Amino acid sequence: PPDVEQLGRATWTFLHTTAAYYPERPTPTQRANMLSLIRALPLLYPCSHCADDFGEDMKNNAPDVSGRAGLSRWLCERHNEVNVKLGKEKFDCGKTDERWKDGPTD
Ligand code: FAD
């Protein structure tokens, strides 16, 4: 089975970076594709309990694919739900650009 921690870091990197470079004003096609990408996660993510919990969280918090800012915030909040579940510190969602767009990466 995959290493859940390594898979998680790689997946969050992909998702937050993709959100950071998502258009401010996406076309309907771009929105539809982003929604498909997000909705596929609970169905395909290869950590089944992670996928199930993410799917449950998404039922209460619909994806915001309206634009870069909203998507980045929505993802940050979803990641924070996982952080809290795992006993990790919450991330400041005002700093997503600094971490994933403008600033250096770790
Ligand atoms: P990660 O949580 O992987 O974060 C990577 C980097 O992202 C951090 O170093 C920080 O710079 C930045 N970051 C942290 N929080 C935020 C935020 N809120 N917004 C933006 N940037 C942030 N693991 C489990 O054990 N159980 C689960 O149920 C589980 N569910 C998951 C569900 C999904 C959809 C994903 C993608 C991963 C899940 N994981 C789960 C993995 C888990 O979230 C972590 O990726 C893993 O534990 C490694 O954690 P980490 O401390 O290295 O940093």
Side-chain angles (χ1 to χ4, degrees), residues 4-9 11-12 15-16 41 45 47 49-51 53-54 75-77 79-80 82-83 85-86 88-89 91 93 96 99-100 106:
V4 170
E5 293 219 341
Q6 197 191 298
L7 174 69
R9 277 190 290 275
T11 304
W12 289 125
L15 291 172
H16 290 299
L41 289 170
Y45 194 69
C47 160
H49 70 275
C50 306
D53 287 357
F54 193 68
L75 256 185
C76 180
E77 288 168 355
H79 191 165
N80 273 338
V82 180
N83 289 343
K85 181 174 77 169
L86 299 180
K88 297 179 198 252
E89 266 185 43
F91 186 89
C93 290
T96 52
R99 172 65 181 87
W100 297 106
D106 67 22

Side-chain angles (χ1 to χ4, degrees), residues 49-101:
H49 70 275
C50 306
D52 289 347
D53 287 357
F54 193 68
E56 282 303 312
D57 184 28
M58 271 175 56
K59 281 184 192 167
N60 306 318
N61 299 284
D64 180 353
V65 297
S66 63
R68 199 173 71 71
L71 181 61
S72 295
R73 174 158 293 272
W74 179 84
L75 256 185
C76 180
E77 288 168 355
R78 306 285 65 73
H79 191 165
N80 273 338
E81 294 278 345
V82 180
N83 289 343
V84 168
K85 181 174 77 169
L86 299 180
K88 297 179 198 252
E89 266 185 43
K90 276 201 193 183
F91 186 89
D92 176 354
C93 290
K95 295 191 169 162
T96 52
D97 277 9
E98 191 180 306
R99 172 65 181 87
W100 297 106
K101 190 165 195 277

